[in-house]
Structures are given as structure tokens and as C-alpha cells.
Amino acid sequence: MINMKKRTGFVCGDKMKRKETAYIKEKKWLAEGIVSMRLSVSFAALVKAGQFVSLFVRDTARLLPRPISIADADAEAGTIRLVFRVAGEGTRQIAAMEEGEALEVLGPLGNGFPLEAAAGKTVILAAGGIGIPPMLLTAKQLLCTTGARPRWCTPALCVHADGWRNEETFLLDDLRETGNVLIATDDGSVGVHGTVIDALTKWENECTTGARPLWCNAVIFACGPKPMLRALKEFAAERDVPLYVSMEERMACGVGVCLGCVTKTAGVDDHSKVCNARVCTDGPVFDARDVVL
């Protein structure tokens, strides 16, 4: 039986989380329905790749906050960057706010990617849709840790495999500053016509590494919709590559109280004695072997 607590490091959230008033320092529309915001916060230096914040809207009829992953953090400037899709009334209200306005923020929340697992390895950052933004911060923190720069078809720091809907490839320029980018689009307008798996398979087929197998010293960090993560889990298992996934689930409280984001696990949690975990506090990042996708 899998010792869930030992392998995923389940804890009751980050003790450093805090709720405070943040101010919008910058706002940009990156694509249709995709907005980028920089917020001034006191906890920018505490943010770990893969964590998220909860934003509270003004509408008193909507008591629950909106969880949004952190795309970047600048400790010196005291800001975090959020990139999100307008998906409902809550995110619509947040997206309608302008520079200089204030909103309540709770964060940083959740457990991030285990960057130590990437030491000395080729890191594949695989993402789809609105799962792409947190990979920017992940890549930047990896660069700060190793100082390395990637090259094609050799042991590299970071290779992005990202999937967009169409030619509106938001954050592409930012991602290219941190690593090589394999592009896939649903409509085939840019890059590979298909999924992230199609892009990785094409890269695998084209990449020559001499006597060194492509996947012999690699790790995959991923974020995106569950079907993509499910396919990546199979892809990684076939190549015996470690995979860590950041799960996108609907959340309510964001601090592990409401149990609205429970996901099924492959083993029993030592604490609860059940095959469940809370994405908001036990995740959102999990070892893919420990969750049922």
C-alpha cells in the first residue's frame, strides 16, 4: 500500500498564507477572454512554483473566492502576476477591475512543484490552456536554482510542451525566455495540430541524442485539464519518467475546510484513512502515481 503522507508530503496548507488587500499594478488583455494582472502583495517572496491565490469579488452575493494560479512573482517589486480566463461571473468581475483598484487576496495557497526532483535532469513542463501560466513561474524558479540554459536534444533545464486552442498563444514570448517551446494547437494554426502528447511524440521522434536515451534522466511537471493529465500519466509511465501534476479542480474555500475539491487517490492517506485528498491543501501538485486521473 502506498504511504500517501510520506510520498506527497500532505500537510494542512501553508502556514504562511495570509489575507490582505492587494492593489492592481498592471492589467493587460493577452487574448480573447485571457487577462493578465500584476498585484502588489506582501507575500511575493514566499511564493513557490505551482501555488495559487484566492481572490474575493466585491459582490456580497458571492461569498466564495476565486482560486487562480500564480504565473510569476517578483520578490523585489513585491508583486505577483496572475493570468486567468474569464469563465464565470466571479472572474468577469475581477477582469473588469482596473489598475489602482483594490481587492482582497488570500495566499499563497497549496503545495507547489518539487523543484528538488528536477536537480540535474531534463525538465519537461507540459501544460494546456489556462494550465500554462503557472509553468512560467516554475521555469523561472528552476532557472534561478540551476542557472542553466536549455538546448535541443541534449540534457536540458527546461523544455516546454504547451497546448493552445488557436493562434492566440498567450505567454509564448515569456515562455521562450525560459526554455525551448513545443507548440500544439487544437485547430493546427500554430505548431503541431493536436495535443501536448502529439507535440512531445513529434519531438521524441525527431530528437537525436546519440547513445544517451532521451528519457533516461528526465522529469515532467504538468498542469492542465484532467484528460491531458490522464494522457500524460500513460505517456510518462510507458517511458518510466517521473510525473508531477498540478490539478485544476473547482475550489470553494481554498483552505481545506469545505471538501469541495476532493480527488480520489491511489492509496490511503495516513491521516484520514481514506482514498481521498484535498486539491487545495494536499495539492494542487501531486505525484501522478498517487492520484486517480
Side-chain angles (χ1 to χ4, degrees):
M1 183 177 294
I2 297 174
N3 185 329
M4 294 293 294
K5 187 174 184 180
K6 180 178 179 181
R7 193 153 82 192
T8 57
F10 285 178
V11 295
C12 295
D14 189 336
K15 300 299 187 297
M16 299 301 292
K17 63 178 177 290
R18 61 192 71 182
K19 184 179 180 182
E20 63 185 51
T21 300
Y23 291 88
I24 301 174
K25 306 295 289 185
E26 179 186 80
K27 172 189 171 183
K28 294 180 180 178
W29 289 93
L30 304 183
E32 183 177 358
I34 304 293
V35 66
S36 169
M37 282 187 173
R38 292 191 187 273
L39 306 178
S40 61
V41 296
S42 65
F43 54 79
L46 304 177
V47 174
K48 298 177 181 179
Q51 289 187 306
F52 66 98
V53 295
S54 286
L55 303 184
F56 294 80
V57 299
R58 297 171 176 174
D59 188 349
T60 56
R62 300 178 184 276
L63 299 179
L64 297 176
R66 297 302 183 265
I68 298 176
S69 59
I70 302 173
D72 203 357
D74 188 328
E76 184 174 345
T79 62
I80 58 173
R81 184 185 184 189
L82 309 178
V83 177
F84 59 95
R85 187 188 306 278
V86 178
E89 182 58 24
T91 49
R92 187 198 66 78
Q93 290 187 30
I94 296 169
M97 299 180 71
E98 299 297 339
E99 294 178 3
E101 292 192 72
L103 72 165
E104 296 300 302
V105 178
L106 176 65
L109 300 173
N111 296 307
F113 286 102
L115 302 187
E116 66 279 2
K121 296 185 178 181
T122 298
V123 185
I124 311 298
L125 301 183
I130 208 61
I132 294 172
M135 291 310 181
L136 177 60
L137 177 58
T138 304
K140 286 189 173 184
Q141 290 194 350
L142 284 168
L143 281 168
C144 289
T145 301
T146 67
R149 285 288 173 180
R151 291 178 293 176
W152 288 108
C153 303
T154 62
L157 168 67
C158 176
V159 175
H160 293 275
D162 297 302
W164 287 270
R165 292 178 176 178
N166 49 41
E167 73 278 0
E168 290 189 315
T169 51
F170 58 91
L171 290 180
L172 178 55
D173 290 341
D174 298 85
L175 295 173
R176 280 176 168 159
E177 292 180 359
T178 63
N180 302 308
V181 184
L182 312 173
I183 303 173
T185 52
D186 292 346
D187 63 1
S189 55
V190 184
V192 174
H193 185 183
T195 67
V196 167
I197 298 296
D198 295 321
L200 281 172
T201 301
K202 182 175 183 292
W203 177 60
E204 180 182 50
N205 292 336
E206 293 177 349
C207 203
T208 57
T209 59
R212 186 182 180 87
L214 181 63
W215 300 105
C216 72
N217 191 35
V219 63
I220 303 175
F221 294 161
C223 183
K226 189 167 288 187
M228 186 201 85
L229 298 182
R230 188 181 302 120
L232 274 171
K233 184 173 182 178
E234 181 178 349
F235 180 91
E238 290 174 350
R239 292 154 180 80
D240 195 27
V241 178
L243 169 65
Y244 296 89
V245 297
S246 179
M247 300 183 67
E248 295 182 333
E249 296 287 343
R250 290 186 178 273
M251 300 181 191
C253 71
V255 293
V257 176
C258 72
L259 303 182
C261 62
V262 168
T263 188
K264 187 174 179 59
T265 58
V268 175
D269 174 25
D270 285 350
H271 175 68
S272 65
K273 307 303 179 182
V274 296
C275 295
N276 289 327
R278 299 161 297 178
V279 173
C280 64
T281 53
D282 299 328
V285 177
F286 296 91
D287 185 320
R289 297 170 296 176
D290 290 341
V291 289
V292 178
L293 297 170

